[in-house]
Amino acid sequence: MPVTFPSLTGAPSLAAATPEDNGGGAEEVGDVMLSAIETQRAIAILDETIEKLSFLGSITPDVLQHRDELSKFVGDEISHIIYEQRQLEARYEELIAQRGALKGLANKSKYKEVQCEIQDVSRALRESTKNLCRNLKDNPNISDNLVKIQQERTELIEILAQTVREMQESGTFKTLVMKVHGDKMAQDRLHEIIQREKDMAGAVKQLDGDLNSEKRDHANRVADQKAEIARLKEQLQSIKSKTTVDAKYFRKEAHAMTSSILRTYRQAERAQETTIKESERKLDMENVVHKETVDFLKRKQESLGTELAEWTEKYAQDYGRLEEEYTALKEKQLKNRERLDHLQARKAAEEEEARKAVEEAVREAELEKIRQAELVTQNNAAGKIQRVAKKYLKKCAEKAAAGAKGKKKKGKKKK
């Protein structure tokens, strides 16, 4: 991003400091030599800035003296929320223990009641956590923030003082530029880490949702299986009771039926022998088919392995090519962004010059209008003066003519 340094001669100057991995742009800007006048003006500005920062540091209230007051001001509500949250956590642990004790019992209604209460307490615990986070966010640690402000102000004063010394010695400001460059890179890294944390938080939230869904499904399956086991136990108990009653009767009846069943079994044995032979024949056929299938699958596996190697190699090549294209596009984007900032600055300067030219033209027009009005006034005054002068000269001429006629008449009378 271009860094604009105010020109000390009155005109804006633009020093393009493009932060790269090796810091080359910052070094180029820091190596700029200022003239003696520019250096003295910059030093005066920085000295005034240091004095104002020092004055701010001197009027900042003592944080340690007001720490108890600040803590009491923001801590009552947060302490109450933390107390409620601890009670909810204790209740949650108690309910979990009760649910564990009820798992082996047949009282399913009590188990469901405990489960519902666990869900309610869990929901209340989540709401309490959200409320606590919101209060902590709305009421930050003011004392620590003020201490941090003082530390950063002190660091800034040291940087500006070092810059003043550097400008006095060599007429450059490399320290200030490197500091700005380093802070910009740290801020970019912080933004990247924050974005990664947001992505990870979203992934964790999604996994938590999936895990909770899986837990609910598992709990439902376990409950259904336990209910089925209880039903089967009841059925087994009923069967055992019935078997005990009917055992004597079946024993006698079984002895009578043994002969007929034996004959039936012999017939079934012969039928089974025939079935076994047929099954052996089918088994031999299945073995042959299985062997051919295995051979086909092995050949298919070898073919897929070859294709996998080819596609893996192609993937590596394509990935490398696309990575190079991405790098080139990224560099092009940075260059275009620098050029855009430069053009925007030049456009702003041109617009300012055009605005000044328009204002100058308007002012010239107003002056011309005033001059025209004065000229008209002068012309009118000159015309009026000329008319008065003509009347005066005419009167004078008339008086002179009248005087001449009077003298001629007197002369004639004397003769």
Side-chain angles (χ1 to χ4, degrees), residues 371-388:
R371 285 196 296 269
Q372 291 294 332
E374 291 179 353
L375 183 60
V376 171
T377 304
Q378 292 176 359
N379 291 333
N380 293 333
K384 187 175 181 180
I385 292 170
Q386 290 176 358
R387 287 193 299 272
V388 172

